Amino acid sequence: MAALIGSIGLYIETHNPAFFINSLIEILVLYLLSRRGWVLLIADIVYWLLIGIPITYGFVTVFYGISSSDFIQVIMLKQLLNGVIVVSAASLLLPFIPRRWSNLEVKVKLPKLSYRIFELSMISIVLPSLVITLILSNNAAKIAEEQVSELLGVQAEHYAEITNNHLTFHQRMVDNLANTFSWQIYDSNHKLELLLDSHSQYPDVFSMLITDHTGFVTHGAPEDFEKTLRELPREEKMVDDRLYYQVPLSRNTHYISDVFQARGYGNDPIVAITAPYYESDAFAGIVQATLNLANFKKFESGSEALDVLVVVTDAKKQLVYASDALGLERLTEFKVEEVEQVYTETLPLLALNDSFYLYKKSITDSGWRIFTLSTPDTLIDAYRSDFYRLIVSLLIIASIVLLVTRRFSKQITRPLENIVKHFAANDPIPQKSRSVYSSAEIESVRDQLQQAQFFMLEYQRTLQQQVEEKTKELREANEKLAVVSVQDELTQIYNRRGFNQNAKNAFAVSIRHATPVTLAILDIDHFKNVNDQWGHSAGDQCIIMVAEEMKKRFKRDSDFVARYGGEEFVVFIAGGDVDVHKRMLEELRTNIANHEVYYEDTIISITVSIGAYSIVEDLNISYDKLVSNADKLLYQSKENGRNQLTMEKQ
């Protein structure tokens, strides 16, 4: 009941029905181990270490797809502690369950007293410790979640502000240069000098250029860019198709572009900042500066308490910058793929390159998005450490409690064990206790056992004499019974049971050593007529005569003869040549046919039919098949006229 209640709580929290399976297996294992005398607390710890935690690992990795080893450790530790809490609660409730609920007929191996004391002591310590620790750990986890959420949010705002200031700073530089060209008309050389001077003062600027009113690039900075422009054909120096030219032309305002690929001078992803300039109040062209995205790395700074990763995208969600650890390619579309949250309820979770990250987002004035990310491991490090410290503490406490309880239980049970030892050995029970740890209850048991021992010893002496007499009679009866059970009473040869016991063993040995064997079945011909004409006593004399002839013919230790039942006999012959076996059987048949049985004033002659089957080369046959084949050959002898031997071999 406790396990099912615990699993219901897990299902409500996780919506994972697989925990019910784990609970059912746990109940079954605990039942089996408790039947063997295990205390529930130890049995449950063994279950979770050997079965429960591996099952939980499979559930977590398959059902949730969690790859964080730290978080998996926390989940498995929580499952272990949850199981211990449930069993501890059940063990405390167990003494209060009505006895009629228990099946007293079920045989259960009782644990030692030391185990009982250890269990109660540990439960009294473990249950409150676990409850308090889990409450404190959950509170600490919530505080950690809030701190991480706040820190990621502050970092996101911080990076957004830095990015916004960075763009605004260079935008003002471009605006100032454009205003300079608007206030006074400069010749071409003077414009180039001002452009080169501005570029040299701003290290984050990748390149700068000036166009005329048609979008034709007239000047460039740095100097090598200017040299490159001079060598380009006119069509490649036209930028009238670029937004950073079209927006200032149409709106008469500065413009910060999205990320795009440079052309002409370098192929790096860049951001363009442009502003229009005027001559005689007429649009005369634009001033443009491009920022190298690689320089965004210098704005990234972590926190002593948290390892923060950064992702910057433009308004079109193109990747402007990402921390190197993320392994993302610039100018690709950055899609936020949120996944079901299992780490915390405070922060969203996104999947990125088969990894999971907690994140916060901030948006700049120009629509750029700043993401600050952190691995979930930052949340669970302290949580996991608390669990490990708790487990180590409980192991130390359990070791101390185990030593103390074993010693204490021995001091309680040793006096009682000494009394029982004397009682079982029929030694006089000491009049007084030899232990200072004895008690009034134990001394009461001592007095009652002393009286019981006196009467028991007297009874044993009388009973011993009776047992010895009965044992002697029983031994003699058993000896007679052992002979009767395997010997035919009339003929003093083996009966069917005795023959099968010996012949089967001899058959197995013969097969193992590839020794030829022959099994023959004999039947007295027309035996019913003998009984009907002269009586059963005459029939018995005929049966005895056949048995005597068989014993004369087959005397070796490896030969067995038996009365198989009624007028039927059987012979097992091992070793030698099967042709010799056949000759011996034929001689047996002839001797029986020529023998006369004298009964009162009557001479009786009988014949036998024999069926014999031999094994020579093909040893792949069973004993029962051997008997069956011989029996079939016996019936052939009878059908062919009786008083004959029919024999086959394989």
Side-chain angles (χ1 to χ4, degrees):
M1 292 174 61
L4 290 175
I5 293 174
S7 64
I8 290 174
L10 288 173
Y11 174 74
I12 295 175
E13 186 69 21
T14 63
H15 304 291
N16 187 350
F19 287 110
F20 279 110
I21 300 175
N22 212 346
S23 295
L24 294 176
I25 299 175
E26 179 185 14
I27 293 170
L28 177 61
V29 172
L30 291 185
Y31 171 73
L32 295 176
L33 292 180
S34 64
R35 289 280 302 274
R36 295 179 176 270
W38 288 56
V39 295
L40 288 178
L41 183 61
I42 300 299
D44 193 62
I45 292 176
V46 171
Y47 165 78
W48 280 103
L49 291 178
L50 300 182
I51 302 176
I53 287 181
I55 292 177
T56 302
Y57 177 82
F59 290 162
V60 170
T61 54
V62 175
F63 188 83
Y64 288 115
I66 295 175
S67 59
S68 170
S69 60
D70 292 337
F71 189 60
I72 291 175
Q73 290 180 44
V74 170
I75 293 177
M76 292 190 296
L77 288 173
K78 288 192 72 173
Q79 287 298 298
L80 170 62
L81 296 180
N82 180 74
V84 173
I85 288 177
V86 169
V87 168
S88 299
S91 298
L92 287 179
L93 293 175
L94 191 60
F96 300 98
I97 294 178
R99 291 186 178 181
R100 63 178 179 272
W101 290 14
S102 302
N103 185 4
L104 300 179
E105 296 180 358
V106 176
K107 293 182 179 180
V108 178
K109 183 179 178 181
L110 297 177
K112 293 182 178 180
L113 178 62
S114 59
Y115 294 164
R116 289 293 192 194
I117 298 175
F118 170 77
E119 181 182 32
L120 293 175
S121 302
M122 281 302 298
I123 289 171
S124 301
I125 297 172
V126 169
L127 186 58
S129 300
L130 290 179
V131 172
I132 293 173
T133 301
L134 289 178
I135 292 175
L136 294 178
S137 297
N138 287 331
N139 290 337
K142 290 181 180 179
I143 294 174
E145 290 174 10
E146 294 174 356
Q147 291 176 345
V148 171
S149 177
E150 181 179 358
L151 185 56
L152 285 178
V154 170
Q155 291 287 337
E157 294 294 335
H158 172 67
Y159 292 135
E161 183 178 358
I162 290 177
T163 302
N164 196 60
N165 291 340
H166 183 66
L167 295 174
T168 302
F169 174 73
H170 290 88
Q171 172 196 312
R172 289 174 181 171
M173 179 271 292
V174 174
D175 287 344
N176 291 336
L177 186 59
N179 290 334
T180 299
F181 292 158
S182 298
W183 293 333
Q184 182 178 345
I185 298 176
Y186 295 94
D187 59 26
S188 177
N189 292 333
H190 202 175
K191 282 184 179 180
L192 179 59
E193 290 179 2
L194 291 174
L195 186 67
L196 292 172
D197 183 62
S198 297
H199 178 269
S200 64
Q201 296 182 34
Y202 293 88
D204 290 331
V205 175
F206 177 66
S207 65
M208 296 184 70
L209 58 84
I210 303 173
T211 72
D212 60 14
H213 68 282
T214 65
F216 177 75
V217 178
T218 59
H219 302 87
E223 292 183 358
D224 54 350
F225 181 33
E226 173 66 17
K227 293 178 182 179
T228 301
L229 286 174
R230 293 173 188 171
E231 297 174 358
L232 293 176
R234 177 178 178 82
E235 60 269 13
E236 292 188 18
K237 290 192 280 187
M238 294 298 297
V239 295
D240 56 341
D241 60 334
R242 292 295 182 107
L243 282 176
Y244 62 74
Y245 170 80
Q246 295 174 352
V247 172
L249 172 64
S250 60
R251 299 181 183 177
N252 295 324
T253 184
H254 56 248
Y255 171 72
I256 299 177
S257 73
D258 293 319
V259 183
F260 65 94
Q261 192 77 32
R263 73 179 184 184
Y265 179 68
N267 297 312
D268 295 328
I270 57 177
V271 175
I273 302 176
T274 58
Y277 71 93
Y278 304 90
E279 294 179 356
S280 303
D281 296 331
F283 178 79
I286 64 168
V287 177
Q288 183 239 53
T290 59
L291 299 183
N292 191 342
L293 298 185
N295 291 334
F296 273 89
K297 185 177 181 62
K298 69 181 182 179
F299 297 127
E300 184 178 355
S301 60
S303 168
E304 294 181 359
L306 191 66
D307 185 15
V308 178
L309 303 174
V310 182
V311 173
V312 181
T313 69
D314 60 17
K316 293 183 178 180
K317 299 182 180 180
Q318 292 185 100
L319 189 63
V320 176
Y321 172 77
S323 299
D324 294 338
L326 296 174
L328 300 177
E329 185 178 352
R330 295 177 185 176
L331 290 182
T332 58
E333 184 179 1
F334 181 74
K335 295 181 179 180
V336 177
E337 181 183 349
E338 290 195 7
V339 296
E340 183 179 356
Q341 179 59 278
V342 294
Y343 298 96
T344 170
E345 298 178 356
T346 306
L347 290 167
L349 188 73
L350 63 83
L352 199 62
N353 292 340
D354 298 326
S355 298
F356 298 100
Y357 297 93
L358 304 170
Y359 76 95
K360 280 283 190 176
K361 181 178 69 173
S362 182
I363 301 177
T364 66
D365 295 342
S366 56
W368 286 25
R369 291 170 173 81
I370 313 298
F371 297 86
T372 50
L373 296 78
S374 179
T375 61
D377 294 344
T378 57
L379 282 178
I380 61 180
D381 283 341
Y383 206 40
R384 182 187 56 182
S385 299
D386 289 342
F387 280 140
Y388 279 125
R389 283 194 291 268
L390 172 63
I391 290 176
V392 171
S393 301
L394 290 179
L395 288 175
I396 295 174
I397 293 173
S399 300
I400 296 174
V401 171
L402 181 60
L403 292 174
V404 172
T405 53
R406 285 177 64 86
R407 184 66 180 172
F408 181 62
S409 64
K410 286 183 178 181
Q411 292 171 348
I412 292 177
T413 59
R414 185 178 291 114
L416 187 58
E417 289 176 348
N418 289 334
I419 294 174
V420 174
K421 186 185 298 181
H422 285 289
F423 188 88
N426 293 330
D427 294 333
I429 298 175
Q431 295 294 325
K432 293 184 179 180
S433 172
R434 295 180 182 178
S435 174
V436 296
Y437 297 101
S438 185
S439 62
E441 291 83 359
I442 293 178
E443 293 307 311
S444 175
V445 171
R446 180 194 305 278
D447 293 339
Q448 296 179 41
L449 286 179
Q450 283 176 340
Q451 297 178 17
Q453 187 184 51
F454 173 77
F455 292 111
M456 183 190 70
L457 292 176
E458 288 295 322
Y459 177 74
Q460 282 182 345
R461 281 192 288 270
T462 303
L463 185 61
Q464 184 66 27
Q465 296 176 355
Q466 297 176 354
V467 169
E468 290 176 355
E469 295 175 358
K470 297 296 182 183
T471 300
K472 182 179 179 181
E473 296 174 0
L474 183 60
R475 186 183 302 112
E476 294 174 352
N478 285 337
E479 291 175 354
K480 295 179 180 180
L481 183 61
V483 174
V484 171
S485 65
V486 297
Q487 189 178 75
D488 182 61
E489 184 177 2
L490 178 63
T491 62
Q492 303 302 305
I493 62 176
Y494 282 125
N495 58 16
R496 188 187 192 105
R497 178 183 178 188
F499 177 82
N500 284 336
Q501 288 178 353
N502 289 275
K504 283 184 177 179
N505 293 333
F507 175 76
V509 173
S510 298
I511 293 298
R512 186 162 58 250
H513 294 90
T515 302
V517 297
T518 299
L519 189 139
I521 301 178
L522 295 71
D523 189 83
I524 300 176
D525 297 328
H526 304 296
F527 184 71
K528 185 176 183 300
N529 295 337
V530 175
N531 284 333
D532 293 343
Q533 187 173 356
W534 293 290
H536 288 283
S537 295
D540 290 344
Q541 291 300 317
C542 294
I543 289 174
I544 292 172
M545 183 272 289
V546 174
E548 291 296 327
E549 290 296 326
M550 293 175 69
K551 287 192 289 184
K552 291 177 185 178
R553 183 63 53 186
F554 304 102
K555 299 179 179 181
R556 298 182 308 168
D557 292 338
S558 58
D559 299 339
F560 302 100
V561 296
R563 182 184 178 189
Y564 222 45
E567 69 275 18
E568 192 173 54
F569 296 84
V570 65
V571 181
F572 180 86
I573 311 169
D577 191 341
V578 296
D579 292 333
V580 176
H581 300 174
K582 182 176 182 180
R583 186 175 65 251
M584 294 172 68
L585 291 171
E586 185 61 35
E587 290 175 357
L588 173 64
R589 183 193 65 77
T590 303
N591 289 344
I592 293 174
N594 295 332
H595 199 289
E596 295 179 342
V597 177
Y598 294 93
Y599 177 72
E600 294 181 352
D601 297 332
T602 305
I603 298 176
I604 305 173
S605 296
I606 61 173
T607 60
V608 294
S609 298
I610 305 175
Y613 194 82
S614 299
I615 302 175
V616 180
E617 296 178 353
D618 187 1
L619 305 179
N620 188 19
I621 186 173
S622 66
Y623 175 78
D624 293 334
K625 183 63 175 177
L626 178 65
V627 175
S628 175
N629 290 344
D631 194 49
K632 292 178 181 178
L633 295 173
L634 170 63
Y635 278 99
Q636 287 185 23
S637 296
K638 289 180 175 291
E639 291 176 355
N640 293 334
R642 293 184 172 83
N643 190 22
Q644 58 183 276
L645 167 65
T646 303
M647 186 171 181
E648 291 182 1
K649 64 180 179 179
Q650 69 171 28

